[in-house]
Amino acid sequence: MKARPGKATRVRNLTATDSPDPGSMPRRPQIAARGLLAALALVTSLAAGPATQAAEAKKAGKVDVGQYVELQPVGLPIVSKGLLVNYVFVYVRINLTSGANVARLREKEPYFRDALVRAGHRTPFTVPTDLSKIDADKLTAALARDAAVIAGPGQIGSVVVTSQAPRRRVNTPPA
C-alpha cells in the first residue's frame, strides 16, 4: 500500500496472541472445545466404573434391587409429663413391594415425611423410661398406616427405623 502524502500510514500493532496469519494459531473456542472433550472423556470413563461393578455384582447374584424410599432425617419431639424435653432425629426406610413403582413413590418422599412429623406431634412416640429414644414399634405402625394411604394399596412392604440420634442426652425421670 502506498502512503499518500500528508497521511500517516497505519501500522498494525501485533500482540503476543495475534498473528499476521489468523489461521496459524488456534482460537479460544477451539481450545475450549478441546478441553470440554477431554473433560467429557474423563467423566465418561469414571462413570463406567460403577456400571461395570454393578454388572459384576449382578452376575455374582448380589444386587440391591432398590425397592425402598429412604426418608430424610426427621426430628421428633420427646414429651414427658406434658413438657417438651428433647428431640430425637430418626432415619427411616420404607421398603416397597416388588410391584411398586419406585420412581413415583420416591417423588412422594416429602409426603411420607410430613405424615411422620404430623403423627409424631399428634401423639409423641416417647419411651417413658428413656427420654433419649423413641418407641420404634409405635412409629413403624403409625407410618406404615399413613404410607399405605399415601402410596396406595399393595405398595408398602414394611417400615424400618434405621437409626435414632437424640439432640441431647437427658436423664431418665424418676418414677
Side-chain angles (χ1 to χ4, degrees), residues 14-28:
L14 298 177
T15 62
T17 57
D18 287 340
S19 163
D21 181 18
S24 67
M25 294 186 72
R27 294 186 182 120
R28 288 187 190 267

Side-chain angles (χ1 to χ4, degrees), residues 125-156:
F125 306 117
T126 304
V127 177
T129 58
D130 188 359
L131 299 179
S132 296
K133 62 186 217 179
I134 54 118
D135 188 353
D137 294 334
K138 278 183 169 178
L139 184 143
T140 55
L143 186 57
R145 185 178 56 249
D146 292 342
V149 172
I150 293 168
Q155 302 289 312
I156 305 299

